[in-house]
Amino acid sequence: MNITIFSIGTQGDVRPFIALGLGLQAAGHKVCIASGKTCENLVTQHGLTYSALTADFLEVMAKDPRAIQRGLNPLALMTTARRHLKDMSQHWAAEGLAAAKDADLLLGNGMMAVLANSLGEALNIPAVETHLQPVTPCPDIPPMMLTPPEKPRIGTVNEMLYHVLRVITWRMLSAAYGPVRKSLKLSALPWYGPYYRQKAEHRRILYGFSPALLPASPSWPGGVQVCGNWFLNGESQWQPSKELQQFLADGDKPIYIGFGSMLSDDTDNLSAIIYEAIAKTGRRAILATGWGGLTAQPHSNPNIFVIDGAPHDWLFPQVALAVHHGGAGTTAATIRAGIPSVVVPFFGDQPFWAWRLEQNGVAPKMLKRSTLTALALAQAIDLASSDVMQVAAVKLSQKVAKEDGVQTAMALLKQWGFLDQIATHGNDKAIDTEASRLEQKSSVNSDGAKKNASMNSASTV
């Protein structure tokens, strides 16, 4: 089968789908990843086909760093994102058709789910949604677009917020997808978006996060499944510099500090706070400048080693804890490595994952970037270094190690009838075994699902 996966954003939004694509490729399928140009090398280096989409988020953040400053205010962020997405999407119809050529199945991640579904509708190809964050309305998981409350909300209020946020989200996306659907000769979508066109039981969503970190809501229908993380393993062959190897060998495990793809308009100030906090702790630290969220400043502290970046699956097992932004990919990498976190969110889902880490006992309460001080960061690092959090991080990593998100996703696709023509390869047996396990789990949980039917009757996926 030919499978096209659509995902745009930072590299953290694309790496999981390269991992999923490699699993599908190993099973005999041909996989194409459609994404922005900044991810082209990442895709092709792993032996998958790349198809271009106009979606350069590095350029957007560089041109409009204040967009990140507004990132924890969803209304302000939506207005900014609407403008940028409208500009990006001018070629999505043509680019999407090129990427979907000869495809038998489309997977659309996040905001690309609408593109995949629209292409599937135009070309009569099945499409499945994927997400790295929970977006399905439910009474028990707070919406990831809002900073989680100190105390749990009433279930009906929580669920209502999901639906309100869907309308807000569609306000952002509609500017992009109105012209796309017109180009594809499809009818316009309603003002509230595409989220209610299918019955809940008919929609299929694969979630690529760990059920150990965030279990599925019991109110979600059977077509919404949490697979586990889609970890990209091949980068463990990355070769560090001799200087980095020497720094790691010269003392205790250092702290990792880095914000990946994040940019802002207060980089120098944030970097100064980081350097001061490291000095206060007296700890060794590796500082990753990433796309520019931190800068390499002149310093005489031999305990600090500055790098552009390094694959998390290689570096994180060699550090004591990570100070990061709380992105889904970085969060998953810290859990897999069995290390605690200190989270300083920038925007989007990052406060949500900071909350989940805190709830699991592997991170202190998140630190607000707008009020961050060196003292507060140093104290959070000390708290994350405690034996209690270190042990909790190891226990959580042991749970995640038992999961196989790629095999689970493939088993579900097969169970749902999307991979019936799967080629006969070595991991077919593993997929069939996983599919059998999921069927048994579904049978065991069927009574619970019926009990939740009344709660879910007013909801859609």
Side-chain angles (χ1 to χ4, degrees):
M1 291 180 66
N2 295 323
I3 301 169
T4 300
I5 304 174
F6 294 86
S7 183
I8 62 174
T10 66
Q11 289 196 359
D13 297 301
V14 177
R15 290 176 191 274
F17 297 96
I18 295 175
L20 183 56
L22 290 173
L24 289 163
Q25 182 174 266
H29 303 293
K30 293 181 180 179
V31 179
C32 172
I33 305 282
S35 188
K37 292 291 287 183
T38 53
C39 294
E40 180 177 4
N41 289 339
L42 185 66
V43 172
T44 57
Q45 285 171 1
H46 285 87
L48 300 177
T49 301
Y50 169 79
S51 191
L53 284 176
T54 303
D56 191 340
F57 282 80
L58 173 58
E59 182 180 350
V60 168
M61 287 190 283
K63 287 182 177 179
D64 188 7
R66 286 191 174 274
I68 299 298
Q69 291 293 99
R70 296 187 289 270
L72 297 182
N73 180 338
L75 291 175
L77 182 62
M78 290 299 177
T79 301
T80 301
R82 177 183 170 87
R83 183 177 71 255
H84 290 303
L85 288 172
K86 184 178 181 180
D87 293 339
M88 286 183 192
S89 67
Q90 294 179 26
H91 305 290
W92 281 0
E95 291 169 340
L97 288 170
K101 185 182 179 187
D102 299 324
D104 303 298
L105 174 65
L106 306 177
L107 303 182
N109 178 54
M111 68 181 73
M112 287 288 99
V114 182
L115 179 59
N117 287 330
S118 296
L119 290 166
E121 186 179 343
L123 301 173
N124 196 28
I125 302 171
V128 174
E129 289 187 30
T130 64
H131 295 278
L132 301 178
Q133 309 87 2
V135 296
T136 307
C138 60
D140 52 305
I141 300 173
M144 62 88 188
M145 290 174 62
L146 300 177
T147 300
E150 293 290 336
K151 297 180 180 180
R153 298 187 187 95
I154 298 172
T156 52
V157 172
N158 204 59
E159 203 160 1
M160 179 190 68
L161 285 171
Y162 273 95
H163 297 293
V164 171
L165 288 167
R166 276 183 166 179
V167 174
I168 295 172
T169 300
W170 183 241
R171 172 175 167 75
M172 173 187 75
L173 295 177
S174 60
Y177 283 116
V180 167
R181 288 185 64 85
K182 185 175 181 179
S183 296
L184 294 174
K185 296 180 169 49
L186 298 173
S187 61
L189 292 169
W191 65 268
Y192 48 80
Y195 312 108
Y196 308 97
R197 302 177 79 200
Q198 290 175 301
K199 291 183 178 180
E201 61 269 22
H202 294 160
R203 201 165 180 187
R204 299 287 183 262
I205 293 181
L206 298 176
Y207 280 130
F209 54 79
S210 170
L213 176 63
L214 178 66
S217 169
S219 71
W220 286 347
V224 178
Q225 293 288 333
V226 178
C227 302
N229 295 111
W230 300 320
F231 286 118
L232 183 56
N233 297 317
E235 293 179 308
S236 60
Q237 302 305 313
W238 178 81
Q239 292 298 312
S241 67
K242 291 182 180 179
E243 292 79 8
L244 175 56
Q245 288 178 307
Q246 189 62 52
F247 182 79
L248 288 166
D250 278 348
D252 295 336
K253 282 188 174 184
I255 301 163
Y256 168 87
I257 303 176
F259 303 116
S261 306
M262 298 298 101
L263 290 174
S264 70
D265 62 351
D266 64 345
T267 299
D268 290 340
N269 180 57
L270 178 60
S271 300
I273 291 171
I274 296 292
Y275 280 93
E276 184 181 348
I278 296 170
K280 285 182 179 294
T281 65
R283 303 282 295 274
R284 285 159 33 88
I286 293 175
L287 190 149
T289 56
W291 279 10
L294 294 174
T295 56
Q297 298 186 347
H299 66 89
S300 57
N301 189 340
N303 287 332
I304 299 176
F305 190 87
V306 180
I307 60 175
D308 292 333
H312 292 159
D313 67 331
W314 184 91
L315 182 58
F316 280 7
Q318 304 186 69
V319 302
L321 62 90
V323 178
H324 58 94
H325 54 296
T330 307
T331 295
T334 61
I335 295 169
R336 191 186 198 190
I339 59 173
S341 294
V342 173
V343 185
V344 185
F346 281 59
F347 75 105
D349 60 333
Q350 295 164 10
F352 178 87
W353 294 122
W355 170 72
R356 286 311 303 165
L357 290 170
E358 180 191 358
Q359 291 291 302
N360 279 274
V362 296
K365 189 176 181 62
M366 72 174 188
L367 299 174
K368 293 182 179 180
R369 192 162 53 94
S370 60
T371 57
L372 185 66
T373 65
L375 178 59
L377 179 56
Q379 290 173 339
I381 289 172
D382 288 342
L383 183 56
S385 302
S386 68
D387 290 343
V388 172
M389 284 200 181
Q390 295 282 339
V391 170
V394 171
K395 288 182 176 179
L396 184 57
S397 72
Q398 291 170 344
K399 293 179 182 178
V400 171
K402 296 176 182 178
E403 302 166 0
D404 191 333
V406 170
Q407 290 296 322
T408 299
M410 292 167 65
L412 285 163
L413 290 172
K414 186 173 183 181
Q415 180 180 308
W416 292 339
F418 296 118
L419 293 183
D420 284 347
Q421 300 175 34
I422 192 163
T424 303
H425 280 256
N427 67 346
D428 254 12
K429 184 176 180 181
I431 295 171
D432 287 333
T433 300
E434 186 65 14
S436 176
R437 183 189 70 79
L438 290 167
E439 287 172 4
Q440 292 174 3
K441 180 181 177 182
S442 177
S443 176
V444 169
N445 291 338
S446 62
D447 289 341
K450 290 175 183 176
K451 290 177 181 177
N452 285 307
S454 60
M455 182 185 297
N456 193 51
S457 61
S459 306
T460 56
V461 180

